[in-house]
Amino acid sequence: MRILNLGSLNIDKVYSVPHFVSAGETILSGQMETFTGGKGLNQSVAIARAGGEVYHAGAIGTDGKMLSDLLESAGVHLDYLQTLDTVSGHAVIQLNPAGQNCIIVCSGSNGLLTESYIDTVLEDFGPDDILLVQNETNCVAYALREAKNRGMRTAFNASPIDDKILSYPLDKVDYFIINEVEGKALSNCSFDDYEDVLTALRGRFPNAAIVLTVGKDGVLYEDSAVRASHGIYDVPVVDTTAAGDTFCGFFLASLSRGLPVEECLRMASLASSLAVGKKGAANSIPTWDDVISFGESEREKILY
Ligand code: RIB
């Protein structure tokens, strides 16, 4: 199974701050570092490092060589990556001492995809392949619809969540890979209990598999045949940026390697735990071998 990831690529400017800035406040940052990022790029890197065959579609600007270089070095196929005569997407990220972040994304080239470009890319893919999309580029709805018309399976990481997502053809999605905030918005569920959110999602999207990450409580999975869950690992947190992307990429790559769902959840959980131990987005994503070693080590203690 090949994975076509139509996704964003960002230059991440990461500002270390004592606390997140409040309205009307000015604060000093002790350090600014530049990393490769973007939910799409991070997920492609995670898939490739997990041994999946991934093609990245999307657009960088003329300043985006560091983004294509990183993808290439990770083993991502770049046959469809466009370079447009504009600036790349970028993100302004505040990183606090607890390793949490606040992110502002400016779309740049990620917002300039066209339907004819997507048609051209999709020409080369079919029923044996899966389309992965997030919500950081334009043309997401079109891509989901057209991929399904070609018999592809589809995976949607509904991040960042916004109102326009609800107008997408969500009935075309085979895998939702989402967190609890996204799950509540997609299911229009006001309950706080994760099981209720999962039930609401399954009721609304009965043909889809739901992968619902629920913070410190791990992840819940349900499709029409399987129900599974997995806990989180006890690791030091340096930077949570791209932990969700790492989870998403490892989950899909594990599926594409033919692993059972329970094992896909385990590999994805291990990988995202490793990712939070390192600063930055794409560069914090481990390899398959790193994850295997971590899983075998004594540090594998699941917190429930
Ligand atoms: O998910 C993390 C990513 O969100 C960052 O790399 C940033 O670019 C934003 O897209």
Side-chain angles (χ1 to χ4, degrees):
M1 177 174 95
R2 297 180 304 169
I3 300 169
L4 170 63
N5 182 11
L6 177 76
S8 60
L9 312 94
N10 291 336
I11 297 170
D12 287 357
K13 308 265 182 199
V14 180
Y15 297 83
S16 297
V17 291
H19 61 265
F20 299 142
V21 70
S22 309
E25 186 186 23
T26 301
I27 57 172
L28 292 175
S29 163
Q31 188 183 26
M32 192 283 282
E33 292 166 278
T34 303
F35 294 104
T36 48
K39 294 183 195 307
L41 177 147
N42 297 337
Q43 291 174 24
S44 281
V45 169
I47 293 166
R49 290 192 181 151
E53 187 177 9
V54 55
Y55 291 75
H56 193 97
I60 55 174
T62 49
D63 56 350
K65 189 169 180 311
M66 69 183 285
L67 303 172
S68 53
D69 284 352
L70 189 277
L71 285 171
E72 191 174 13
S73 68
V76 177
H77 296 286
L78 295 181
D79 315 44
Y80 307 103
L81 185 68
Q82 308 176 101
T83 301
L84 303 178
D85 190 16
T86 184
V87 291
S88 299
H90 78 271
V92 173
I93 302 181
Q94 296 180 61
L95 178 65
N96 76 10
Q100 296 165 319
N101 61 46
C102 277
I103 305 181
I104 301 171
V105 173
C106 182
S107 295
S109 48
N110 297 312
L112 298 175
L113 307 182
T114 63
E115 294 182 355
S116 66
Y117 163 71
I118 287 164
D119 288 341
T120 306
V121 175
L122 289 177
E123 279 294 296
D124 296 340
F125 293 85
D128 292 336
D129 306 316
I130 186 159
L131 173 78
L132 168 63
V133 286
Q134 311 78 29
N135 193 33
E136 259 183 359
T137 67
N138 65 327
C139 289
V140 173
Y142 184 80
L144 284 171
R145 208 173 281 119
E146 289 306 307
K148 218 57 199 157
N149 285 342
R150 287 169 165 79
M152 294 178 75
R153 277 179 293 162
T154 58
F156 185 30
N157 172 233
S159 180
I161 191 81
D162 61 18
D163 288 344
K164 95 178 171 287
I165 282 186
L166 298 175
S167 68
Y168 291 177
L170 298 175
D171 58 321
K172 310 284 184 204
V173 175
D174 296 303
Y175 291 92
F176 286 95
I177 304 173
I178 51 183
N179 65 27
E180 71 262 40
V181 175
E182 294 150 4
K184 282 172 89 166
L186 288 175
S187 62
N188 201 16
C189 169
S190 57
F191 302 122
D192 283 329
D193 188 281
Y194 305 142
E195 295 287 344
D196 291 338
V197 177
L198 187 61
T199 302
L201 285 164
R202 287 281 301 146
R204 181 139 189 201
F205 309 110
N207 300 320
I210 311 290
V211 185
L212 182 69
T213 58
V214 288
K216 64 176 177 41
D217 291 322
V219 57
L220 308 175
Y221 175 94
E222 193 172 318
D223 64 24
S224 48
V226 178
R227 196 182 162 94
S229 63
H230 198 86
I232 61 162
Y233 294 89
D234 185 12
V235 290
V237 177
V238 175
D239 182 353
T240 56
T241 310
D245 299 330
T246 304
F247 185 97
C248 180
F250 266 74
F251 178 81
L252 279 181
S254 301
L255 264 188
S256 77
R257 294 173 68 130
L259 298 188
V261 161
E262 291 81 359
E263 192 58 16
C264 298
L265 296 178
R266 177 174 169 272
M267 291 303 285
S269 303
L270 284 164
S272 55
S273 298
L274 280 178
V276 302
K278 214 167 158 186
K279 216 170 182 185
N283 66 305
S284 71
I285 299 170
T287 64
W288 185 261
D289 289 347
D290 294 335
V291 173
I292 294 287
S293 319
F294 179 53
E296 285 167 355
S297 79
E298 289 176 24
R299 295 171 69 203
E300 181 174 337
K301 297 189 194 93
I302 302 178
L303 289 181
Y304 287 100

